[in-house]
Amino acid sequence: MLAFAPGDKQPPAAPAAVVATANGDEPPEHTMKVETLAENLLFTTVRIHWSSKPEELHTGTGFFYAYRNGDEARLFIVTNRHVVDGAKDTTITFHTAHDGSVQLGKPFELTVVGADKYWYASKDPNVDLAIGDAGQLFQALQVKGVKPFWKHVDQSLTLDSKTVAQLDALEEVVFVGYPAPVWDTHNFLPVIRRGITATPVAIDYLGQKQFLVDASVFPGSSGSPVFLFNKGAYADRNGGTTIGSRIIFLGVIAAVHQQQEVNKLQFLPLPTGQVPAVVSNRLINLGIVFRASTVVDLIEECLVSQGVKLVAPTEQSLRAATVAK
């Protein structure tokens, strides 16, 4: 079952965050009717950026996630803690809607003032995740007369214990985001990248709730959602083949392994003393992904801290999700 939110439907209103807005007033190049599964994935994400100094730009990716609590669906923006850590204000860029389609090249920027009060980060220092209440942002957009276009990752797509037991050590994955500096700045579209699992999803890499993917992960990809995505047919761990497409939300890109090489002048401690050496970091295409369960854990931690009683999703709530097959 594939679940996404319609791009022109507003979520339930929530108390507004303190925000300032800036609208790109350039006319749209054209619109795009979003129909396929891959097209849906593009619009689950938003670009996040902030600056501590004029010459320093911090960028990352966030995505919409719908958590189901009883009959209620709560919409959040999920990203990495390090993407927003230290920010006084964060700017989130939305796509805009027109007649049920997305307007390409006409984004809308919403700046959250007092970012430290908006983002809720995991209390576990080993979990590099943060969330924000998307309802507050949609209310601010509504006040400004802006109609956003988005798709969300529904909780029903999230990897669970039953599904993870069916996965093999090597699975195909895709992730969506805004790696610097290579993304479509003209149409304001993220890029979709493909890779494979490098460690089994079910096993905690280095003892943490994470796994590795073998894929090109660059700065700006932090916060990208990672999916197991099979189109048309896929094989199970026993060698059988299933006809049809499959998508599962696996987790969130957080970091990439680096290898040091000789390039940059530094002093390295050696047995005989310190001598000048040249060192640089080279990305080795092994990305660290926090498992999807950590997103659910963080949302529940946040809701409990607000005094919200957690209730298992009802069948009616699950049926209310927009379903595409």
Side-chain angles (χ1 to χ4, degrees):
M1 184 175 70
L2 311 179
F4 294 95
D8 56 358
K9 182 180 177 182
Q10 296 294 328
V18 180
V19 297
T21 60
N23 189 9
D25 54 5
E26 65 278 5
E29 286 289 320
H30 57 277
T31 61
M32 173 182 174
K33 192 169 183 62
V34 178
E35 298 175 324
T36 70
L37 176 56
E39 288 171 347
N40 273 271
L41 292 180
L42 283 172
F43 300 101
T44 60
T45 61
V46 291
R47 184 173 184 263
I48 301 172
H49 72 270
W50 60 278
S51 298
S52 55
K53 301 176 183 178
E55 66 276 9
E56 290 184 3
L57 179 65
H58 303 263
T59 67
T61 300
F63 64 95
F64 295 105
Y65 184 90
Y67 174 83
R68 300 193 172 274
N69 190 41
D71 288 329
E72 182 184 12
R74 290 180 175 244
L75 195 63
F76 293 87
I77 292 180
V78 181
T79 188
N80 291 135
R81 184 207 334 254
H82 77 260
V83 169
V84 296
D85 191 29
K88 294 181 179 179
D89 309 325
T90 51
T91 298
I92 303 170
T93 308
F94 294 83
H95 300 283
T96 55
H98 179 72
D99 290 338
S101 297
V102 59
Q103 298 186 97
L104 299 181
K106 193 177 182 181
F108 189 93
E109 291 186 345
L110 193 65
T111 299
V112 180
V113 178
D116 59 329
K117 294 180 175 60
Y118 175 72
W119 297 103
Y120 183 92
S122 174
K123 297 187 184 311
D124 184 344
N126 295 314
V127 178
D128 185 5
L129 291 178
I131 57 174
D133 182 356
Q136 298 181 29
L137 306 184
F138 280 113
Q139 186 181 45
L141 292 173
Q142 190 173 28
V143 169
K144 290 294 181 179
V146 177
K147 196 172 186 179
F149 187 96
W150 88 97
K151 304 290 181 179
H152 70 242
V153 179
D154 194 81
Q155 188 176 355
S156 61
L157 293 179
T158 303
L159 179 73
D160 56 24
S161 57
K162 179 180 178 181
T163 305
V164 75
Q166 300 170 357
L167 300 184
D168 205 344
L170 188 153
E171 298 283 356
E172 294 183 357
V173 299
V174 298
F175 54 100
V176 189
Y178 298 85
V182 184
W183 54 280
D184 188 352
T185 57
H186 180 73
N187 293 300
F188 209 90
L189 288 177
V191 298
I192 302 176
R193 308 216 66 170
R194 182 182 294 275
I196 59 173
T197 54
T199 62
V201 176
I203 297 177
D204 292 347
Y205 174 66
L206 295 180
Q208 304 296 329
K209 294 179 180 179
Q210 57 191 23
F211 61 95
L212 289 184
V213 292
D214 184 351
S216 297
V217 179
F218 295 98
S221 296
S222 294
S224 296
V226 181
F227 303 92
L228 184 155
F229 181 35
N230 306 118
K231 188 175 181 180
Y234 57 92
D236 60 33
R237 61 179 291 119
N238 298 317
T241 300
T242 299
I243 303 301
S245 297
R246 175 176 66 164
I247 184 168
I248 302 170
F249 170 55
L250 296 181
V252 187
I253 289 282
V256 62
H257 277 294
Q258 301 182 23
Q259 178 179 338
Q260 288 191 334
E261 291 184 333
V262 176
N263 272 324
K264 181 181 177 184
L265 184 65
Q266 289 186 356
F267 282 92
L268 301 180
L270 297 176
T272 56
Q274 290 190 334
V275 297
V278 180
V279 177
S280 71
N281 291 324
R282 180 173 67 90
L283 304 182
I284 58 174
N285 293 342
L286 286 175
I288 297 175
V289 180
F290 280 95
R291 199 177 295 123
S293 61
T294 59
V295 173
V296 176
D297 291 344
L298 177 57
I299 291 173
E300 293 181 346
E301 175 188 307
C302 176
L303 293 178
V304 169
S305 73
Q306 297 172 355
V308 176
K309 182 179 179 180
L310 301 181
V311 182
T314 63
E315 291 185 10
Q316 180 181 357
S317 172
L318 295 174
R319 285 198 302 268
T322 301
V323 177
K325 295 184 179 179

Short mmCIF file of all heavy atoms in Angstrom, two decimals, residues 252-311:
data_model
loop_
_atom_site.label_atom_id
_atom_site.label_comp_id
_atom_site.label_asym_id
_atom_site.label_seq_id
_atom_site.Cartn_x
_atom_site.Cartn_y
_atom_site.Cartn_z
N VAL A 252 16.47 7.77 7.50
CA VAL A 252 16.88 9.13 7.20
C VAL A 252 18.40 9.22 7.06
O VAL A 252 19.13 8.80 7.97
CB VAL A 252 16.43 10.11 8.31
CG1 VAL A 252 16.71 11.55 7.91
CG2 VAL A 252 14.95 9.92 8.63
N ILE A 253 18.85 9.76 5.93
CA ILE A 253 20.30 9.99 5.73
C ILE A 253 20.81 10.97 6.78
O ILE A 253 20.19 12.02 7.03
CB ILE A 253 20.56 10.57 4.33
CG1 ILE A 253 20.34 9.52 3.24
CG2 ILE A 253 21.98 11.14 4.23
CD1 ILE A 253 21.46 8.53 3.08
N ALA A 254 21.94 10.66 7.40
CA ALA A 254 22.47 11.55 8.43
C ALA A 254 23.93 11.93 8.21
O ALA A 254 24.36 13.03 8.57
CB ALA A 254 22.32 10.92 9.81
N ALA A 255 24.73 11.02 7.64
CA ALA A 255 26.17 11.30 7.53
C ALA A 255 26.76 10.41 6.45
O ALA A 255 26.09 9.54 5.89
CB ALA A 255 26.86 11.03 8.87
N VAL A 256 28.02 10.65 6.15
CA VAL A 256 28.74 9.86 5.17
C VAL A 256 30.14 9.58 5.70
O VAL A 256 30.75 10.43 6.36
CB VAL A 256 28.80 10.57 3.80
CG1 VAL A 256 29.55 11.90 3.91
CG2 VAL A 256 29.44 9.68 2.74
N HIS A 257 30.61 8.38 5.47
CA HIS A 257 31.97 8.04 5.88
C HIS A 257 32.98 8.76 4.98
O HIS A 257 32.75 8.94 3.79
CB HIS A 257 32.21 6.54 5.80
CG HIS A 257 31.71 5.80 7.00
ND1 HIS A 257 32.26 5.97 8.25
CD2 HIS A 257 30.71 4.89 7.17
CE1 HIS A 257 31.64 5.19 9.12
NE2 HIS A 257 30.69 4.53 8.49
N GLN A 258 34.09 9.18 5.60
CA GLN A 258 35.14 9.88 4.87
C GLN A 258 36.47 9.17 5.09
O GLN A 258 36.69 8.54 6.12
CB GLN A 258 35.25 11.34 5.32
CG GLN A 258 33.99 12.14 5.14
CD GLN A 258 34.17 13.58 5.55
OE1 GLN A 258 35.28 14.09 5.58
NE2 GLN A 258 33.08 14.26 5.86
N GLN A 259 37.32 9.28 4.08
CA GLN A 259 38.66 8.71 4.17
C GLN A 259 39.67 9.84 4.06
O GLN A 259 39.56 10.70 3.19
CB GLN A 259 38.88 7.70 3.04
CG GLN A 259 40.27 7.09 3.02
CD GLN A 259 40.43 6.08 1.90
OE1 GLN A 259 39.46 5.54 1.42
NE2 GLN A 259 41.66 5.84 1.50
N GLN A 260 40.64 9.85 4.93
CA GLN A 260 41.64 10.90 4.89
C GLN A 260 42.70 10.61 3.84
O GLN A 260 43.17 9.50 3.69
CB GLN A 260 42.31 11.06 6.26
CG GLN A 260 41.42 11.69 7.30
CD GLN A 260 42.19 12.08 8.54
OE1 GLN A 260 43.22 11.50 8.85
NE2 GLN A 260 41.69 13.08 9.25
N GLU A 261 43.04 11.65 3.08
CA GLU A 261 44.10 11.56 2.08
C GLU A 261 45.04 12.74 2.25
O GLU A 261 44.73 13.73 2.90
CB GLU A 261 43.51 11.60 0.66
CG GLU A 261 42.70 10.36 0.31
CD GLU A 261 42.23 10.39 -1.13
OE1 GLU A 261 42.07 11.50 -1.67
OE2 GLU A 261 42.03 9.31 -1.71
N VAL A 262 46.19 12.64 1.62
CA VAL A 262 47.19 13.69 1.71
C VAL A 262 46.85 14.82 0.76
O VAL A 262 46.79 14.63 -0.43
CB VAL A 262 48.58 13.13 1.39
CG1 VAL A 262 49.62 14.22 1.38
CG2 VAL A 262 48.95 12.05 2.37
N ASN A 263 46.62 16.00 1.32
CA ASN A 263 46.32 17.20 0.52
C ASN A 263 46.47 18.49 1.32
O ASN A 263 47.01 19.45 0.84
CB ASN A 263 44.89 17.18 -0.04
CG ASN A 263 44.81 16.46 -1.37
OD1 ASN A 263 45.73 16.57 -2.16
ND2 ASN A 263 43.74 15.73 -1.57
N LYS A 264 45.93 18.51 2.51
CA LYS A 264 45.88 19.74 3.28
C LYS A 264 46.95 19.71 4.38
O LYS A 264 47.11 18.70 5.07
CB LYS A 264 44.50 19.89 3.91
CG LYS A 264 44.32 21.15 4.72
CD LYS A 264 42.92 21.19 5.30
CE LYS A 264 42.74 22.41 6.18
NZ LYS A 264 41.40 22.42 6.83
N LEU A 265 47.66 20.81 4.54
CA LEU A 265 48.76 20.87 5.50
C LEU A 265 48.24 20.86 6.93
O LEU A 265 47.46 21.71 7.33
CB LEU A 265 49.60 22.13 5.26
CG LEU A 265 50.84 22.27 6.12
CD1 LEU A 265 51.84 21.17 5.79
CD2 LEU A 265 51.48 23.63 5.91
N GLN A 266 48.63 19.85 7.68
CA GLN A 266 48.32 19.76 9.09
C GLN A 266 49.52 19.15 9.81
O GLN A 266 50.41 18.60 9.19
CB GLN A 266 47.09 18.86 9.34
CG GLN A 266 45.78 19.47 8.89
CD GLN A 266 44.61 18.59 9.31
OE1 GLN A 266 44.81 17.51 9.86
NE2 GLN A 266 43.42 19.05 9.07
N PHE A 267 49.54 19.29 11.14
CA PHE A 267 50.57 18.63 11.93
C PHE A 267 49.98 17.38 12.56
O PHE A 267 48.98 17.44 13.25
CB PHE A 267 51.12 19.57 13.01
CG PHE A 267 52.08 20.57 12.48
CD1 PHE A 267 51.65 21.81 12.04
CD2 PHE A 267 53.42 20.26 12.37
CE1 PHE A 267 52.55 22.73 11.54
CE2 PHE A 267 54.33 21.17 11.87
CZ PHE A 267 53.89 22.42 11.45
N LEU A 268 50.60 16.24 12.25
CA LEU A 268 50.13 14.97 12.78
C LEU A 268 51.11 14.46 13.82
O LEU A 268 52.32 14.50 13.63
CB LEU A 268 50.02 13.93 11.65
CG LEU A 268 49.07 14.30 10.50
CD1 LEU A 268 49.08 13.18 9.47
CD2 LEU A 268 47.66 14.50 11.02
N PRO A 269 50.59 13.98 14.97
CA PRO A 269 51.50 13.42 15.99
C PRO A 269 52.10 12.10 15.52
O PRO A 269 51.39 11.20 15.10
CB PRO A 269 50.57 13.21 17.19
CG PRO A 269 49.20 13.09 16.59
CD PRO A 269 49.19 13.94 15.37
N LEU A 270 53.41 12.01 15.54
CA LEU A 270 54.11 10.79 15.17
C LEU A 270 54.98 10.36 16.35
O LEU A 270 55.26 11.15 17.26
CB LEU A 270 55.00 11.02 13.94
CG LEU A 270 54.24 11.39 12.66
CD1 LEU A 270 55.24 11.69 11.56
CD2 LEU A 270 53.32 10.26 12.24
N PRO A 271 55.45 9.13 16.35
CA PRO A 271 56.25 8.65 17.49
C PRO A 271 57.47 9.51 17.76
O PRO A 271 57.92 9.62 18.89
CB PRO A 271 56.66 7.24 17.06
CG PRO A 271 55.59 6.81 16.10
CD PRO A 271 55.18 8.05 15.38
N THR A 272 58.04 10.14 16.74
CA THR A 272 59.25 10.92 16.94
C THR A 272 58.97 12.41 17.10
O THR A 272 59.89 13.20 17.18
CB THR A 272 60.18 10.72 15.74
OG1 THR A 272 59.50 11.08 14.53
CG2 THR A 272 60.64 9.28 15.66
N GLY A 273 57.70 12.81 17.13
CA GLY A 273 57.38 14.22 17.26
C GLY A 273 56.35 14.63 16.23
O GLY A 273 55.71 13.80 15.59
N GLN A 274 56.19 15.94 16.02
CA GLN A 274 55.23 16.47 15.07
C GLN A 274 55.93 16.94 13.81
O GLN A 274 56.89 17.69 13.88
CB GLN A 274 54.43 17.62 15.68
CG GLN A 274 53.45 17.15 16.77
CD GLN A 274 52.53 18.26 17.17
OE1 GLN A 274 52.87 19.43 17.05
NE2 GLN A 274 51.36 17.91 17.66
N VAL A 275 55.42 16.48 12.67
CA VAL A 275 55.97 16.90 11.39
C VAL A 275 54.83 17.35 10.50
O VAL A 275 53.69 16.91 10.64
CB VAL A 275 56.73 15.74 10.70
CG1 VAL A 275 57.90 15.30 11.54
CG2 VAL A 275 55.80 14.56 10.43
N PRO A 276 55.09 18.30 9.56
CA PRO A 276 54.02 18.75 8.67
C PRO A 276 53.60 17.64 7.71
O PRO A 276 54.43 16.91 7.18
CB PRO A 276 54.64 19.93 7.93
CG PRO A 276 56.11 19.73 8.04
CD PRO A 276 56.34 19.01 9.32
N ALA A 277 52.30 17.53 7.52
CA ALA A 277 51.76 16.55 6.57
C ALA A 277 50.55 17.17 5.89
O ALA A 277 50.01 18.17 6.35
CB ALA A 277 51.36 15.26 7.28
N VAL A 278 50.15 16.58 4.80
CA VAL A 278 49.03 17.10 4.02
C VAL A 278 47.89 16.11 4.06
O VAL A 278 48.04 14.96 3.68
CB VAL A 278 49.47 17.34 2.56
CG1 VAL A 278 48.32 17.88 1.76
CG2 VAL A 278 50.62 18.33 2.54
N VAL A 279 46.71 16.54 4.58
CA VAL A 279 45.58 15.64 4.77
C VAL A 279 44.30 16.28 4.26
O VAL A 279 44.09 17.48 4.42
CB VAL A 279 45.40 15.30 6.27
CG1 VAL A 279 44.18 14.42 6.48
CG2 VAL A 279 46.64 14.65 6.82
N SER A 280 43.45 15.50 3.59
CA SER A 280 42.12 15.96 3.21
C SER A 280 41.14 14.80 3.39
O SER A 280 41.56 13.65 3.53
CB SER A 280 42.08 16.44 1.76
OG SER A 280 42.19 15.35 0.87
N ASN A 281 39.86 15.12 3.39
CA ASN A 281 38.84 14.10 3.54
C ASN A 281 38.20 13.80 2.19
O ASN A 281 37.85 14.71 1.43
CB ASN A 281 37.76 14.57 4.52
CG ASN A 281 38.31 14.65 5.94
OD1 ASN A 281 39.12 13.83 6.33
ND2 ASN A 281 37.87 15.64 6.69
N ARG A 282 38.05 12.53 1.88
CA ARG A 282 37.42 12.12 0.63
C ARG A 282 36.20 11.27 0.97
O ARG A 282 36.27 10.32 1.76
CB ARG A 282 38.40 11.30 -0.21
CG ARG A 282 37.83 10.82 -1.54
CD ARG A 282 38.92 10.19 -2.38
NE ARG A 282 39.42 8.95 -1.80
CZ ARG A 282 38.91 7.74 -2.07
NH1 ARG A 282 37.89 7.62 -2.89
NH2 ARG A 282 39.42 6.66 -1.52
N LEU A 283 35.04 11.62 0.37
CA LEU A 283 33.83 10.86 0.58
C LEU A 283 33.98 9.48 -0.06
O LEU A 283 34.47 9.37 -1.19
CB LEU A 283 32.63 11.59 -0.02
CG LEU A 283 32.39 13.03 0.47
CD1 LEU A 283 31.14 13.61 -0.17
CD2 LEU A 283 32.26 13.07 1.98
N ILE A 284 33.55 8.43 0.63
CA ILE A 284 33.74 7.08 0.10
C ILE A 284 32.41 6.38 -0.17
O ILE A 284 32.33 5.16 -0.22
CB ILE A 284 34.61 6.23 1.04
CG1 ILE A 284 34.00 6.15 2.45
CG2 ILE A 284 36.02 6.76 1.09
CD1 ILE A 284 34.75 5.20 3.37
N ASN A 285 31.35 7.17 -0.37
CA ASN A 285 30.05 6.65 -0.82
C ASN A 285 29.47 5.59 0.11
O ASN A 285 28.88 4.61 -0.33
CB ASN A 285 30.16 6.08 -2.24
CG ASN A 285 30.43 7.16 -3.28
OD1 ASN A 285 30.21 8.34 -3.01
ND2 ASN A 285 30.89 6.76 -4.43
N LEU A 286 29.63 5.79 1.40
CA LEU A 286 28.96 4.96 2.39
C LEU A 286 28.21 5.88 3.34
O LEU A 286 28.81 6.56 4.18
CB LEU A 286 29.96 4.10 3.16
CG LEU A 286 30.55 2.91 2.40
CD1 LEU A 286 31.62 2.22 3.24
CD2 LEU A 286 29.46 1.91 2.02
N GLY A 287 26.89 5.94 3.17
CA GLY A 287 26.08 6.84 3.97
C GLY A 287 25.48 6.15 5.18
O GLY A 287 25.13 4.96 5.14
N ILE A 288 25.36 6.90 6.28
CA ILE A 288 24.76 6.39 7.50
C ILE A 288 23.28 6.80 7.52
O ILE A 288 22.94 7.96 7.34
CB ILE A 288 25.48 6.94 8.74
CG1 ILE A 288 26.94 6.47 8.76
CG2 ILE A 288 24.76 6.51 10.02
CD1 ILE A 288 27.76 7.06 9.89
N VAL A 289 22.41 5.80 7.74
CA VAL A 289 20.97 6.02 7.74
C VAL A 289 20.39 5.63 9.09
O VAL A 289 20.61 4.51 9.57
CB VAL A 289 20.28 5.19 6.63
CG1 VAL A 289 18.77 5.43 6.63
CG2 VAL A 289 20.88 5.50 5.27
N PHE A 290 19.65 6.57 9.72
CA PHE A 290 18.94 6.21 10.95
C PHE A 290 17.65 5.49 10.58
O PHE A 290 16.89 5.97 9.74
CB PHE A 290 18.64 7.46 11.79
CG PHE A 290 19.83 7.92 12.59
CD1 PHE A 290 20.67 8.90 12.10
CD2 PHE A 290 20.11 7.34 13.82
CE1 PHE A 290 21.78 9.30 12.82
CE2 PHE A 290 21.22 7.74 14.55
CZ PHE A 290 22.05 8.72 14.04
N ARG A 291 17.44 4.34 11.18
CA ARG A 291 16.31 3.50 10.84
C ARG A 291 14.99 4.24 11.08
O ARG A 291 14.88 5.08 11.97
CB ARG A 291 16.36 2.21 11.65
CG ARG A 291 15.53 1.08 11.07
CD ARG A 291 15.66 -0.21 11.86
NE ARG A 291 17.02 -0.73 11.81
CZ ARG A 291 17.76 -0.97 12.87
NH1 ARG A 291 17.30 -0.72 14.07
NH2 ARG A 291 18.97 -1.46 12.74
N ALA A 292 13.97 3.89 10.30
CA ALA A 292 12.68 4.58 10.34
C ALA A 292 12.05 4.58 11.74
O ALA A 292 11.34 5.52 12.11
CB ALA A 292 11.73 3.96 9.32
N SER A 293 12.30 3.54 12.50
CA SER A 293 11.72 3.46 13.85
C SER A 293 12.16 4.62 14.73
O SER A 293 11.44 5.02 15.66
CB SER A 293 12.08 2.13 14.51
OG SER A 293 13.50 2.01 14.66
N THR A 294 13.35 5.20 14.46
CA THR A 294 13.82 6.32 15.28
C THR A 294 12.98 7.57 15.03
O THR A 294 12.87 8.43 15.92
CB THR A 294 15.30 6.63 15.01
OG1 THR A 294 15.48 6.96 13.62
CG2 THR A 294 16.18 5.44 15.35
N VAL A 295 12.40 7.70 13.84
CA VAL A 295 11.50 8.82 13.55
C VAL A 295 10.24 8.69 14.40
O VAL A 295 9.79 9.65 15.03
CB VAL A 295 11.15 8.89 12.06
CG1 VAL A 295 10.09 9.96 11.79
CG2 VAL A 295 12.40 9.16 11.23
N VAL A 296 9.66 7.48 14.41
CA VAL A 296 8.46 7.25 15.21
C VAL A 296 8.77 7.46 16.69
O VAL A 296 8.00 8.10 17.42
CB VAL A 296 7.93 5.82 14.97
CG1 VAL A 296 6.74 5.52 15.89
CG2 VAL A 296 7.54 5.64 13.51
N ASP A 297 9.91 6.97 17.16
CA ASP A 297 10.30 7.15 18.56
C ASP A 297 10.40 8.62 18.93
O ASP A 297 9.95 9.04 20.01
CB ASP A 297 11.64 6.46 18.84
CG ASP A 297 11.56 4.94 18.77
OD1 ASP A 297 10.45 4.40 18.80
OD2 ASP A 297 12.63 4.31 18.65
N LEU A 298 11.00 9.42 18.03
CA LEU A 298 11.18 10.84 18.31
C LEU A 298 9.84 11.57 18.36
O LEU A 298 9.62 12.42 19.24
CB LEU A 298 12.10 11.47 17.25
CG LEU A 298 12.33 12.98 17.38
CD1 LEU A 298 12.91 13.32 18.74
CD2 LEU A 298 13.25 13.47 16.27
N ILE A 299 8.95 11.26 17.42
CA ILE A 299 7.64 11.91 17.42
C ILE A 299 6.88 11.56 18.70
O ILE A 299 6.27 12.44 19.34
CB ILE A 299 6.83 11.48 16.18
CG1 ILE A 299 7.46 12.09 14.92
CG2 ILE A 299 5.37 11.91 16.30
CD1 ILE A 299 6.85 11.61 13.62
N GLU A 300 6.94 10.31 19.11
CA GLU A 300 6.24 9.92 20.33
C GLU A 300 6.86 10.57 21.56
O GLU A 300 6.15 10.98 22.49
CB GLU A 300 6.23 8.39 20.45
CG GLU A 300 5.38 7.74 19.37
CD GLU A 300 5.33 6.23 19.45
OE1 GLU A 300 6.17 5.65 20.19
OE2 GLU A 300 4.46 5.62 18.79
N GLU A 301 8.18 10.70 21.57
CA GLU A 301 8.87 11.40 22.67
C GLU A 301 8.40 12.85 22.75
O GLU A 301 8.12 13.37 23.83
CB GLU A 301 10.38 11.35 22.43
CG GLU A 301 11.21 12.12 23.43
CD GLU A 301 12.67 12.19 23.02
OE1 GLU A 301 13.26 11.13 22.75
OE2 GLU A 301 13.22 13.32 22.95
N CYS A 302 8.28 13.49 21.58
CA CYS A 302 7.83 14.88 21.52
C CYS A 302 6.39 15.02 22.01
O CYS A 302 6.08 15.91 22.81
CB CYS A 302 7.97 15.40 20.09
SG CYS A 302 7.35 17.08 19.82
N LEU A 303 5.51 14.16 21.54
CA LEU A 303 4.10 14.24 21.91
C LEU A 303 3.91 13.99 23.41
O LEU A 303 3.12 14.69 24.07
CB LEU A 303 3.28 13.25 21.10
CG LEU A 303 3.19 13.53 19.59
CD1 LEU A 303 2.38 12.44 18.89
CD2 LEU A 303 2.56 14.90 19.32
N VAL A 304 4.61 13.01 23.95
CA VAL A 304 4.51 12.72 25.39
C VAL A 304 4.98 13.92 26.21
O VAL A 304 4.38 14.26 27.24
CB VAL A 304 5.32 11.46 25.74
CG1 VAL A 304 5.44 11.31 27.26
CG2 VAL A 304 4.65 10.22 25.15
N SER A 305 6.04 14.60 25.74
CA SER A 305 6.54 15.78 26.45
C SER A 305 5.52 16.92 26.45
O SER A 305 5.56 17.80 27.30
CB SER A 305 7.85 16.27 25.80
OG SER A 305 7.62 16.89 24.55
N GLN A 306 4.58 16.88 25.48
CA GLN A 306 3.52 17.89 25.40
C GLN A 306 2.25 17.45 26.11
O GLN A 306 1.24 18.14 26.08
CB GLN A 306 3.20 18.18 23.93
CG GLN A 306 4.36 18.77 23.16
CD GLN A 306 4.06 18.88 21.66
OE1 GLN A 306 3.03 18.43 21.19
NE2 GLN A 306 4.99 19.48 20.93
N GLY A 307 2.31 16.28 26.75
CA GLY A 307 1.15 15.77 27.48
C GLY A 307 0.13 15.07 26.62
O GLY A 307 -1.01 14.86 27.06
N VAL A 308 0.50 14.70 25.40
CA VAL A 308 -0.42 14.01 24.50
C VAL A 308 -0.45 12.52 24.84
O VAL A 308 0.61 11.89 24.99
CB VAL A 308 0.00 14.21 23.03
CG1 VAL A 308 -0.92 13.42 22.10
CG2 VAL A 308 -0.02 15.69 22.67
N LYS A 309 -1.65 11.97 24.95
CA LYS A 309 -1.79 10.54 25.20
C LYS A 309 -1.66 9.79 23.88
O LYS A 309 -2.32 10.11 22.89
CB LYS A 309 -3.16 10.25 25.83
CG LYS A 309 -3.36 8.78 26.16
CD LYS A 309 -4.73 8.54 26.80
CE LYS A 309 -4.92 7.06 27.11
NZ LYS A 309 -6.26 6.80 27.74
N LEU A 310 -0.80 8.79 23.84
CA LEU A 310 -0.57 8.02 22.63
C LEU A 310 -1.59 6.90 22.51
O LEU A 310 -1.80 6.15 23.47
CB LEU A 310 0.85 7.45 22.62
CG LEU A 310 1.99 8.46 22.70
CD1 LEU A 310 3.34 7.75 22.66
CD2 LEU A 310 1.90 9.48 21.58
N VAL A 311 -2.20 6.81 21.33
CA VAL A 311 -3.21 5.81 21.05
C VAL A 311 -2.86 5.13 19.74
O VAL A 311 -2.44 5.80 18.78
CB VAL A 311 -4.62 6.43 20.96
CG1 VAL A 311 -5.68 5.36 20.72
CG2 VAL A 311 -4.95 7.23 22.23
#
